[in-house]
Amino acid sequence: MRRLLFTALLSCSLLLVACSDSDDGAAANLEDAPIVLVHGAWQDGSTWSAVQQELEADGRSVSAVTLPGRDGDAAGSQSLVGYRDAVITEVESYDEPVILVGHSFGGITISAVAEAVPDRVASLVYVAAFLPQDGDSLSSLAENDHISVLAEDGNLNFSEDFSLATIPEDRFADIFCPDCQGGDREAVTASAISEPAAPLAEPVSLTADNFGSVAKTYVLTSQDIVVGTQLQVSMAADSAVDELLVLNTGHAPYVTASVELADLIDRLR
């Protein structure tokens, strides 16, 4: 049943994308634009190392942001605004608009950046990411995810003061990367860190004039059990993204399909 639902939703979303009127965003020349990579929850900027290396080998200018509050550092004082501003600082270090790529929760962050400085963002790329509407948060979107295993008993735990969210180390690779084998499993497990909890529930404010004016590409991960394929398709369709691409991976394509993911980003025009 889930496979049939996914196929139907994917077909519908492809039709919506094909028919969307987004010529202004699609017309932007992205061939030489710098690329800024934003990680998701339970990760830091090193997540992107393999993808960054591939892009740099192709001559692209690339940076990967590490958001504040990683692994418990002042976790209770972190906010979505703080995340947004950290990324804006990196974006504004370039002399030209950037391609802004967000993985998972990074989709919420890059959306907030595009709302704040739309003229500094040439294009948004969502990789297995939360793609919000105005007023959405990761938590509110996740309530509509019927595939994610994060809600299953023991997969997501909180510290006593609820400032940190963690995924057990012995479950992390199975959850983030069901397609992982051998060394990839070890790499994904080693990448796991604690996550400040409060920003996961913070809503993002978005407008058509700012966030809505920026071109958007969605990279769907078809084996994902963190951000389920059903939710990914629904979010891409709701936002009428300019392009919907598919990788046959779990939630960690930056490990298992780094070459393919880098190629998709590099080919944006």
Side-chain angles (χ1 to χ4, degrees):
M1 180 61 73
R2 283 180 176 175
R3 184 176 296 276
L4 290 173
L5 175 62
F6 167 64
T7 302
L9 286 170
L10 179 58
S11 299
C12 290
S13 67
L14 287 170
L15 288 173
L16 286 170
V17 170
C19 296
S20 64
D21 183 11
S22 54
D23 291 342
D24 290 344
N29 183 2
L30 306 176
E31 184 174 0
D32 298 317
I35 299 166
V36 176
L37 305 168
V38 181
H39 62 80
W42 301 289
Q43 306 281 269
D44 62 21
S46 65
T47 292
W48 290 108
S49 58
V51 174
Q52 183 171 356
Q53 289 172 16
E54 291 291 336
L55 288 167
E56 289 175 340
D58 288 333
R60 302 302 294 263
S61 178
V62 188
S63 58
V65 177
T66 290
L67 299 176
R70 299 298 91 194
D71 210 14
D73 181 23
S77 63
Q78 302 309 318
S79 68
L80 184 57
V81 169
Y83 291 174
R84 180 201 67 187
D85 291 348
V87 177
I88 289 176
T89 297
E90 185 64 30
V91 166
E92 292 185 336
S93 71
Y94 292 96
D95 294 331
E96 58 189 303
V98 307
I99 298 171
L100 192 53
V101 183
H103 171 254
S104 196
F105 178 58
I108 302 287
T109 304
I110 67 172
S111 299
V113 172
E115 175 63 26
V117 289
D119 58 320
R120 303 295 300 163
V121 183
S123 183
L124 293 166
V125 181
Y126 294 82
V127 180
F130 290 93
L131 173 46
Q133 302 294 305
D134 179 44
D136 282 337
S137 66
L138 180 150
S139 296
S140 68
L141 288 168
E143 289 176 358
N144 298 312
D145 193 336
H146 307 300
I147 295 174
S148 176
V149 300
L150 281 183
E152 294 182 5
D153 188 44
N155 284 346
L156 181 59
N157 302 310
F158 292 89
S159 60
E160 289 187 5
D161 63 358
F162 293 97
S163 66
L164 284 173
T166 59
I167 297 174
E169 182 178 343
D170 61 348
R171 301 188 187 191
F172 196 85
D174 289 336
I175 292 170
F176 258 58
C177 197
D179 53 318
C180 271
Q181 298 180 1
D184 284 348
R185 286 184 59 85
E186 296 174 4
V188 169
T189 298
S191 73
I193 60 177
S194 300
E195 180 69 21
L200 303 177
E202 284 190 55
V204 61
S205 296
L206 304 172
T207 63
D209 287 343
N210 291 356
F211 169 73
S213 69
V214 182
K216 300 172 184 67
T217 296
Y218 199 97
V219 181
L220 182 147
T221 43
S222 63
Q223 298 184 49
D224 207 317
I225 55 174
V226 175
V227 182
T229 49
Q230 155 264 334
L231 179 60
Q232 291 187 49
V233 168
S234 176
M235 292 185 295
D238 287 346
S239 292
V241 297
D242 298 278
E243 190 170 17
L244 177 64
L245 307 171
V246 179
L247 288 173
N248 185 28
T249 72
H251 199 56
Y254 46 83
V255 170
T256 60
S258 57
V259 175
E260 294 87 344
L261 178 54
D263 186 56
L264 292 181
I265 297 168
D266 188 38
R267 288 193 290 108
L268 292 175
R269 295 292 181 265

